[in-house]
Amino acid sequence: MLKWFVRAMLIAVIGFAGYAFYDYYRGGFFSAPDLQEGDFLLSYTSGFKAVMRGIQDERETRRYLGIEANDVPSWYKDAWSICRAPSAMELDEFEQSGAFGPGSRFDAVCEIDADGDVFIRGRIVTVPKLD
């Protein structure tokens, strides 16, 4: 009986490790760029990947929502984008659009630099974690 229990536990550990490895690979973390002090990574199932640079990490208290730009070419869908704090004009546009409801906050604009041609890949909005 002990022999079967040990085998079952070994299979469970190997299965968990395999799934963790697959999830890490699917999130694109193996191809992440080098991080600077204070940077953190966000990866979404849609393929949107963001390096949050110069932005405070509040994942303990807020949910990060990735909003992709509609006009991104397909070959840039899996690329990591560098995110910066929005300008005053971008913040004003966000607030006038009605935002995402009470407690929402526009935290970042994510851009990709394609040989000197910088374009917006998406935006990051945060909402309070209520659980």
Side-chain angles (χ1 to χ4, degrees):
M1 181 72 172
L2 180 62
K3 185 191 231 179
W4 287 106
F5 179 73
V6 170
R7 287 180 182 171
M9 291 303 293
L10 184 61
I11 290 171
V13 168
I14 290 170
F16 179 76
Y19 179 76
F21 178 79
Y22 167 74
D23 196 41
Y24 192 78
Y25 178 77
R26 186 179 60 160
F29 295 106
F30 287 115
S31 64
D34 294 331
L35 300 179
Q36 298 175 0
E37 184 71 30
D39 289 357
F40 63 99
L41 302 173
L42 298 174
S43 178
Y44 299 93
T45 56
S46 66
F48 183 29
K49 297 175 187 76
V51 177
M52 302 295 280
R53 185 160 288 161
I55 299 166
Q56 185 177 353
D57 184 0
E58 296 183 75
R59 287 179 287 185
E60 295 288 324
T61 59
R62 299 187 71 79
R63 289 185 56 215
Y64 285 79
L65 308 174
I67 294 123
E68 295 187 61
N70 293 332
D71 55 349
V72 176
S74 62
W75 49 91
Y76 291 122
K77 295 276 184 185
D78 289 331
W80 284 92
S81 56
I82 306 298
C83 301
R84 60 169 174 80
S87 67
M89 186 176 75
E90 291 167 329
L91 281 171
D92 188 47
E93 288 174 5
F94 176 75
E95 289 173 3
Q96 289 184 7
S97 72
F100 278 76
S104 66
R105 189 173 67 207
F106 183 23
D107 274 7
V109 175
C110 302
E111 301 170 327
I112 292 178
D113 184 352
D115 290 334
D117 189 19
V118 178
F119 65 93
I120 293 177
R121 170 68 174 94
R123 292 165 178 79
I124 303 291
V125 175
T126 61
V127 293
K129 268 189 183 177
L130 300 177
D131 37 44

